[in-house]
Amino acid sequence: MNELFNIPVINYEGPESKNPLAFKYYDKDRVIGGKTMAEHLRFSMCYWHTLCADGTDMFGIGTIDKSFGGADPLEIYKQKVYAGFEMMHKLGIEYFCFHDRDIAPEGESLSDFQKNLDIIVPIIKEQMEKYGIKLLWGTANCFSRARYMHGAATSPYADAFAYAAAQVKKAIDITIELGGTGYVFWGGREGYETLLNTKMGFEIDNYARLLKMAVAYARSKGFTGDFFIEPKPKEPTKHQYDFDAATVLGFLHKYDLLRDFKLNIEANHATLAGHTFEHELRICRDNGILGSVDANQGDNHLGWDTDQFPTNVYDTTYAMYEIVKAGGFTNGGLNFDAKTRRGSNTIEDIFLAHIAGMDAFALGLINAYKLIEDGRIEEFVENRYASYNSGIGLDIVNGTATLESLSDYALSLSDDVKPESGRQEYLESVVNSVIFS
Ligand code: XUL
Ligand code: CO
């Protein structure tokens, strides 16, 4: 089959290169901390933004044609497969992620949709084998259609729940068929607008019911990968049930789902929740629930999910610091849940955007290791908590201290407590001196 894009395979040329179609920092075989960059970063292309989103927004129609030469719906989705695999191959991206609705036309009914999926999935499989590209995770889109306007698993209408279950079942089948190592739940419409019409507790119980059914089904079919929940606040409902990592952690505890679920942290979702990307990753690291990452960035001046390609190197540095400290990815990776701006409307822009994102994360990885090797940040943090290594602090940590013993201790202090400076500005300057050395 002829190539669709007149764009070469993208190679590493180093920081001095001025070639837009080359990596400046992402050198896939470079070994850092015992693993290659490719093994650390596990880049993934997202099907929906890359192969489906055409720049449509609420003020205007699309600005880029994503039919890739196809004429009728099935033909268009076949062409998307070829386009996607050519892009991944040329960019050296080894993984991809999809929603059911991204990969095949929905047709007129659920059974139409499933037939269409059965036509497209073998083509995807053949391309995966041809290029050695793997599936990171699959998911079902249970949020776009009107049937889900009040939620899917959290809909007041049992038929919507059942319809979502059918989609999830099929998406799990496809994920298993394609050897995916993860299955994602992003609670698109799982939330509410007003308590005046909502049984919140019942809806959340139902959400857990669907997740348990999904786990039981997938495990019975031999799926050994991870399930991921992707937290997000605000969009599209006013109160999203999976608001942020800490909220999801509480949910997983309550419904005893921690054996099967980890989190998929998206940078722009973190910022919408009023957190930094690294804060959400730290919650995961501290609780052993880091699963995967949707790599993108938001805009400080805008309050919505802009899904931009990540280029802010401070963000990628702090993120990679957390990811490396958490032990790196097992079944997850860095999925570019990101789209080019509406005005960046060429195929070349899509390549340039991925190059920018991959280079930004390569720099983040390099910087994270520099910070770890430098050791000053970690040493400072360790020393800051040193009072818990002995004496009364150790008693607190050991559990031997009581409220009474601590009260006696505090009363015996001859002077007031004198905490030391947190030296934030100094630490920020250390980061700069390490990064730019
Ligand atoms: C929406 C979002 C989704 C999930 C998968 O904000 O991030 O695309 O990643 O459903
Ligand atoms: Co996402």
Side-chain angles (χ1 to χ4, degrees):
M1 161 142 192
N2 291 335
E3 290 193 346
L4 288 166
F5 312 121
N6 185 21
I7 288 189
V9 167
I10 311 299
N11 293 311
Y12 170 73
E13 290 186 4
E16 305 303 321
S17 169
K18 297 263 191 308
N19 176 5
L21 292 170
F23 295 116
K24 319 300 180 298
Y25 303 99
Y26 179 58
D27 182 3
K28 68 177 169 44
D29 296 323
R30 176 173 162 191
V31 175
I32 301 184
K35 284 201 284 188
T36 64
M37 281 193 158
E39 287 165 344
H40 276 288
L41 298 167
R42 293 168 60 92
F43 287 125
S44 157
M45 183 204 78
C46 92
Y47 221 94
W48 51 103
H49 288 311
T50 308
L51 302 171
C52 303
D54 67 356
T56 300
D57 69 12
M58 58 275 249
F59 300 103
I61 60 169
T63 56
I64 177 169
D65 180 4
K66 295 265 176 91
S67 57
F68 302 107
D72 62 84
L74 259 180
E75 200 57 38
I76 289 172
Y77 279 84
K78 284 181 191 167
Q79 290 302 104
K80 285 186 197 293
V81 181
Y82 298 122
F85 280 85
E86 185 178 326
M87 282 182 193
M88 286 186 269
H89 168 65
K90 288 183 168 175
L91 283 159
I93 292 180
E94 291 177 44
Y95 298 88
F96 71 102
C97 298
F98 73 90
H99 300 87
D100 49 359
R101 198 179 109 115
D102 309 330
I103 60 173
E106 286 170 288
E108 298 298 318
S109 65
L110 187 57
S111 65
D112 262 13
F113 185 25
Q114 298 200 343
K115 277 183 209 133
N116 289 340
L117 286 165
D118 290 340
I119 294 169
I120 301 290
V121 168
I123 304 173
I124 294 181
K125 197 170 180 185
E126 166 219 288
Q127 292 288 295
M128 288 172 73
E129 279 158 16
K130 174 173 171 190
Y131 289 114
I133 288 171
K134 293 162 281 219
L135 174 63
L136 194 66
W137 51 258
T139 189
N141 177 328
C142 300
F143 46 88
S144 289
R145 291 301 181 135
R147 70 181 70 93
Y148 298 127
M149 70 182 180
H150 301 305
T154 67
S155 171
Y157 301 94
D159 283 1
F161 187 112
Y163 207 106
Q167 271 188 261
V168 168
K169 176 180 174 293
K170 184 72 178 171
I172 287 174
D173 289 340
I174 297 170
T175 300
I176 294 172
E177 168 74 11
L178 299 180
T181 52
Y183 186 86
V184 161
F185 285 91
W186 167 59
R189 304 268 170 198
E190 314 297 25
Y192 71 95
E193 296 296 325
T194 172
L195 285 176
L196 293 174
N197 62 13
T198 302
K199 280 191 183 178
M200 180 164 70
F202 179 78
E203 290 197 359
I204 297 174
D205 287 348
N206 267 356
Y207 186 29
R209 287 185 180 107
L210 182 78
L211 300 189
K212 282 181 192 285
M213 288 177 203
V215 170
Y217 177 73
R219 296 299 184 219
S220 80
K221 296 285 168 188
F223 179 65
T224 54
D226 287 323
F227 290 89
F228 304 128
I229 290 190
E230 183 177 325
K232 182 180 183 181
K234 294 180 191 167
E235 276 183 20
T237 72
K238 179 171 173 176
H239 298 279
Q240 290 285 122
Y241 292 137
D242 296 332
F243 188 92
D244 63 1
T247 309
V248 174
L249 178 63
F251 169 84
L252 293 175
H253 265 296
K254 176 172 176 186
Y255 295 97
D256 193 22
L257 287 162
L258 277 165
R259 261 185 317 279
D260 296 287
F261 279 85
K262 293 191 167 78
L263 268 55
N264 182 36
I265 296 299
E266 178 161 326
N268 203 169
H269 296 181
T271 48
L272 289 180
H275 301 306
T276 58
F277 186 16
E278 61 269 23
H279 167 91
E280 292 292 81
L281 292 168
R282 179 67 66 94
I283 296 273
C284 293
R285 173 183 156 195
D286 284 347
N287 293 283
I289 52 168
L290 175 64
S292 200
V293 164
D294 271 8
N296 62 13
Q297 70 184 27
D299 184 306
N300 284 339
H301 303 276
L302 302 174
W304 64 90
D305 196 12
T306 57
D307 282 341
Q308 289 165 235
F309 273 84
T311 53
N312 183 318
V313 173
Y314 283 103
D315 290 346
T316 60
T317 298
Y318 292 133
M320 286 313 301
Y321 188 84
E322 294 304 320
I323 292 166
V324 168
K325 284 284 186 180
F329 294 119
T330 44
N331 285 329
L334 291 171
N335 172 49
F336 288 113
D337 190 349
K339 59 186 173 209
T340 52
R341 297 305 81 196
R342 189 167 187 272
S344 302
N345 66 335
T346 67
I347 293 295
E348 188 180 53
D349 285 312
I350 296 175
F351 278 86
L352 297 175
H354 280 91
I355 293 167
M358 291 163 83
D359 271 342
F361 267 95
L363 274 170
L365 175 68
I366 293 167
N367 290 340
Y369 269 93
K370 278 190 185 172
L371 286 170
I372 290 166
E373 274 152 29
D374 176 84
R376 274 177 289 173
I377 302 282
E378 234 183 311
E379 191 187 348
F380 182 88
V381 175
E382 284 310 317
N383 288 337
R384 194 165 185 233
Y385 293 86
S387 66
Y388 287 93
N389 294 341
S390 60
I392 197 77
L394 192 57
D395 292 346
I396 293 171
V397 173
N398 280 345
T400 53
T402 63
L403 221 51
E404 293 95 318
S405 73
L406 291 170
S407 173
D408 291 345
Y409 173 84
L411 285 166
S412 76
L413 292 174
S414 54
D415 214 348
D416 198 357
V417 181
K418 289 204 174 51
E420 287 173 25
S421 165
R423 303 187 87 187
Q424 179 172 339
E425 297 77 6
Y426 161 70
L427 295 169
E428 286 165 353
S429 80
V430 168
V431 171
N432 281 348
S433 69
V434 171
I435 288 182
F436 294 105
S437 65

